[in-house]
Amino acid sequence: MFSKEFDEIVNFRRSNRKFDPNIEVPNEVIQKSIERAALSPNSSNMQLWEFYWIHSKEELEKFIPLCLDQLAAKTAKEMVVFVTRKDKWRSRAEWNYKRIEQTIEGEPNKLQKGGINYYKKVMPLLYMNDGFGVMSSIRRLISFTMGLRKPFFRTGGTANQRIMVHKSCALAAQTFMLSIAAEGFHSCPMEGFDEKRVKKALNLPRGAEINMIISVGLGTEEGIWGPRFRLENEEIVFKR
Ligand SMILES: Cc1cc2nc3c(=O)[nH]c(=O)nc-3n(C[C@H](O)[C@H](O)[C@H](O)COP(=O)(O)O)c2cc1C
């Protein structure tokens, strides 16, 4: 249905490292793209992400050294910092089951009961932590014993939780970049930054992590560092 348009957007999106200094990005482009990003698929709809829009000249200047003086940061007209918030699991789980509760009229049906149970019981099991690693050991034990008999969702320590939230956040980042492309502008995702200092600049707590920073502007030809190389399908696609 949208195949041709999608091809155009995917081919138009390149990582551009040098943005035109004379062209501003309309606020609506960033606003709309963040809103589209928030519609990305995400684990259990927990939405353990936040988007920090770096817009003012002063803030943009501050982020240049934090992004290690990369050209994509130096020339950026706007930036968005994609942040994971696994520490917010309690409030996001509550937000979800309250949403379900609002849909109940009279007796809850099976789906509503299951949904509430999922956010009240399964989410704590997945995300709860203690300072001693007890919850991680319990999760590993459950995964191991349940997994002996049948396929089971394997989880355990904080690394699993971090992977979970970063997966979802990266999908939001990709939606954002495709949206920026659809609006005729360019972007560059960056993982070259000083995470500690970025967190400090954004006043973020320990539980938050920076997924990536995306700079935006109208790209230039010099901002494209070469043709787009990708591996051959035989190397990476396995149809069985
Ligand atoms: C997670 C991630 C981190 C990246 N970090 C940087 C970065 O710090 N600086 C940069 O110039 N490009 C960065 N890139 C861009 C990649 O180099 C680029 O996507 C890749 O070379 C493919 O080129 P294309 O985006 O034009 O298709 C990053 C891309 C991703 C997905």
Side-chain angles (χ1 to χ4, degrees), residues 59 62-63 66 196-204:
E59 284 291 311
K62 206 156 73 181
F63 269 75
L66 304 187
K196 201 171 168 188
R197 287 190 164 87
V198 172
K199 278 175 69 172
K200 197 164 171 231
L202 297 175
N203 217 1
L204 290 168

Side-chain angles (χ1 to χ4, degrees), residues 25-76:
V25 181
N27 278 339
E28 307 83 75
V29 167
I30 305 292
Q31 182 66 40
K32 199 189 274 184
S33 299
I34 291 176
E35 284 167 16
R36 286 170 174 161
L39 293 178
S40 302
N42 67 95
S43 183
S44 299
N45 202 30
M46 288 284 275
Q47 302 163 71
L48 292 166
W49 53 34
E50 284 173 347
F51 314 115
Y52 290 80
W53 179 1
I54 312 301
H55 171 70
S56 71
K57 279 241 155 4
E58 197 188 344
E59 284 291 311
L60 285 165
E61 286 278 320
K62 206 156 73 181
F63 269 75
I64 296 170
L66 304 187
C67 295
L68 316 179
D69 291 319
Q70 294 194 47
L71 195 58
K74 274 185 182 157
T75 60

Side-chain angles (χ1 to χ4, degrees), residues 118-132:
Y118 184 73
Y119 288 109
K120 282 193 173 175
K121 302 210 172 112
V122 181
M123 288 303 105
L125 202 58
L126 275 184
Y127 283 103
M128 196 187 287
N129 276 321
D130 51 89
F132 308 100

Side-chain angles (χ1 to χ4, degrees), residues 13-15 17 70 188-192 212 228 230:
R13 189 215 60 78
R14 290 291 317 272
S15 294
R17 279 100 178 179
Q70 294 194 47
C188 184
M190 294 180 285
E191 64 188 346
M212 66 183 94
R228 207 176 206 182
R230 288 297 192 266

Side-chain angles (χ1 to χ4, degrees), residues 71-89:
L71 195 58
K74 274 185 182 157
T75 60
K77 287 292 180 181
E78 309 281 342
M79 283 191 210
V80 178
V81 185
F82 286 74
V83 175
T84 65
R85 293 302 304 260
K86 82 179 169 62
D87 56 322
K88 287 201 166 177
W89 69 269

